[in-house]
Amino acid sequence: MTAKAGRRARPLLHAVVVTSLLAASAYFTYALRQEEQNQAPAVPRVTDQAAKGNASGGQDGTQKWERLKNPQRSVLRSGDGAVLATFTDGARTATLTGKSRTFTESHTTQTQVVTDAWVRLLPEPWRSGAEREQWFQAWFKKYYGSEEDDVFAIAFQYGDKAPVKKDAAGVQYAGDAAFGPINPSGSAGNDLRLEQSDFYDYLGIPYTFRDGTTEQPEKPKFRAMDCSGFIRTVFGYRGRFPLAATDAGGSGLPRTANGIARSKTGVDVLPLKGVAAKDRPASIDVLQPGDLVFFKLDTRTGDRLDHTGMYLGNDTDGHKIFISSREEANGPTIGDKGGASRLDGSGYYAATLRSAKRL
């Protein structure tokens, strides 16, 4: 090659290098998530325990109530000190101890969550002394030890290959859900799917909220629910927690992750300090199964929190696991696509956790 030909080749070589660097940068987050997925450790095989919860308490049938702080809550214990149930002041979410269950997602991850926690919604927010009131005693008698679907069971009815469930009118209310339709302007790791799919989009029917607002489903979003749409499906449409049509004031669970996180609904167990990396909670030990968790994933959304999920508890490796609907998995998942679904450690979602709320 002549010197002149070499000089002509240098600009072309430079352009190729720059283009390669830009492409690598665009997929940097995607690559990190893929690497984390490949490093996910093996999990030992686990089977369900047969024992059911016993509402009579310990072997002598005694029970005792205890008041705890941070957050203020009432804990019911058996005579031998085992926790039977936990109720948090100002929250409707109750955690009851019952039959052990195993939650898995074998098509996408080796993670298994084995838990005896059953998460249910009280008919009204808890307050100190409510254990003596007739409404609670009737509710507790009905649900302690019950195997009727709780919010965990409901959540997994929308995961990968979940079987179809229909109501008496033939409307499918459960079954494998997508995150959203393909984004014509997106790509893998970069807004591949469109957001803003709510529970009524999944159902494919209009829905009228308590304020009289009626929302119409969008056909391209049929059988889809984004992250907040998933939470609204589980706690609201199925769990009957009041729902708001938007984030704009009023009562009920707001429409978006940011709206839910910043609302006065429920109890902030991990208060939001900010959205920067330094605002990651120093400790997450206060989390209880059923808590909503909120993340800051995208710098383009400014000060808004842009992802939410539900905390499930520890997996069989001791990691704190959550479930959420996200585009990489195309729907609700506890899997490793888009980053392992862990709140502890230094993974993608652990590092971007910013707050948590107990409804």
Side-chain angles (χ1 to χ4, degrees):
M1 180 184 295
T2 66
K4 184 178 293 186
R7 285 194 296 271
R8 285 199 303 268
R10 289 192 189 102
L12 178 60
L13 178 61
H14 178 71
V16 171
V17 171
V18 170
T19 301
S20 300
L21 289 174
L22 288 174
S25 176
Y27 288 91
F28 181 65
T29 300
Y30 179 72
L32 283 178
R33 295 180 181 183
Q34 290 297 109
E35 180 181 0
E36 186 180 58
Q37 176 184 347
N38 294 335
Q39 293 176 351
V43 178
R45 182 178 178 83
V46 178
T47 56
D48 285 346
Q49 298 174 9
K52 285 185 62 176
N54 180 3
S56 64
Q59 293 182 346
D60 58 0
T62 60
Q63 295 178 350
K64 56 184 178 182
W65 287 91
E66 179 182 9
R67 286 291 292 173
L68 298 176
K69 298 180 179 180
N70 301 319
Q72 296 282 345
R73 61 198 187 277
S74 301
V75 176
L76 178 63
R77 296 184 183 274
S78 64
D80 58 8
V83 174
L84 302 178
T86 302
F87 309 91
T88 302
D89 292 7
R92 285 181 55 188
T93 301
T95 303
L96 312 178
T97 300
K99 178 182 178 180
S100 179
R101 298 172 290 174
T102 300
F103 294 101
T104 63
E105 192 177 318
S106 59
H107 300 291
T108 60
T109 182
Q110 295 180 353
T111 294
Q112 295 184 345
V113 176
V114 181
T115 180
D116 60 5
W118 290 68
V119 179
R120 301 192 181 278
L121 290 175
L122 294 163
E124 57 185 85
W126 183 259
R127 56 189 173 274
S128 179
E131 67 272 16
R132 297 186 292 273
E133 298 178 17
Q134 185 174 2
W135 70 266
F136 169 73
Q137 293 175 4
W139 179 91
F140 189 73
K141 182 178 180 180
K142 178 179 180 180
Y143 287 110
Y144 190 83
S146 169
E147 294 183 27
E148 179 181 321
D149 285 351
D150 68 336
V151 297
F152 280 9
I154 292 171
F156 280 85
Q157 290 172 7
Y158 298 93
D160 185 48
K161 295 181 174 58
V164 169
K165 294 178 180 290
K166 295 183 178 181
D167 63 17
V171 175
Q172 180 179 325
Y173 65 87
D176 192 337
F179 176 83
I182 290 291
N183 180 3
S185 304
S187 58
N190 184 29
D191 300 330
L192 176 63
R193 294 184 177 273
L194 294 172
E195 296 184 90
Q196 300 182 352
S197 296
D198 207 352
F199 65 92
Y200 51 84
D201 292 305
Y202 174 88
L203 297 169
I205 58 175
Y207 187 87
T208 300
F209 292 86
R210 295 184 304 160
D211 65 358
T213 300
T214 299
E215 294 288 351
Q216 299 290 335
E218 298 182 42
K219 288 185 178 180
K221 299 177 180 178
F222 185 54
R223 297 284 181 261
M225 53 183 72
D226 63 13
C227 63
S228 52
F230 173 57
I231 294 300
R232 283 159 59 86
T233 300
V234 174
F235 282 87
Y237 183 74
R238 296 288 303 279
R240 314 317 299 168
F241 194 94
L243 290 168
T246 67
D247 287 354
S251 60
L253 199 63
R255 172 61 189 95
T256 69
N258 186 70
I260 299 171
R262 297 180 185 274
S263 73
K264 295 181 180 179
T265 303
V267 178
D268 294 326
V269 292
L270 290 177
L272 177 63
K273 297 178 181 179
V275 298
K278 65 180 179 60
D279 299 311
R280 176 185 177 182
S283 172
I284 58 175
D285 291 341
V286 70
L287 288 177
Q288 177 177 292
D291 287 349
L292 303 186
V293 287
F294 303 94
F295 305 85
K296 177 60 180 175
L297 306 181
D298 194 337
T299 57
R300 296 173 298 179
T301 58
D303 289 335
R304 294 178 60 83
L305 295 167
D306 44 40
H307 192 65
T308 184
M310 178 175 66
Y311 175 57
L312 299 175
N314 287 354
D315 69 2
T316 50
D317 258 357
H319 294 292
K320 295 183 181 299
I321 302 300
F322 72 99
I323 184 171
S324 70
S325 181
R326 51 189 190 254
E327 67 170 294
E328 295 85 357
N330 193 24
T333 184
I334 60 170
D336 307 318
K337 277 191 172 183
S341 302
R342 298 172 182 167
L343 300 175
D344 58 313
S346 57
Y348 180 72
Y349 286 100
T352 53
L353 177 68
R354 295 293 177 265
S355 67
K357 182 185 290 288
R358 191 165 298 159
L359 288 184

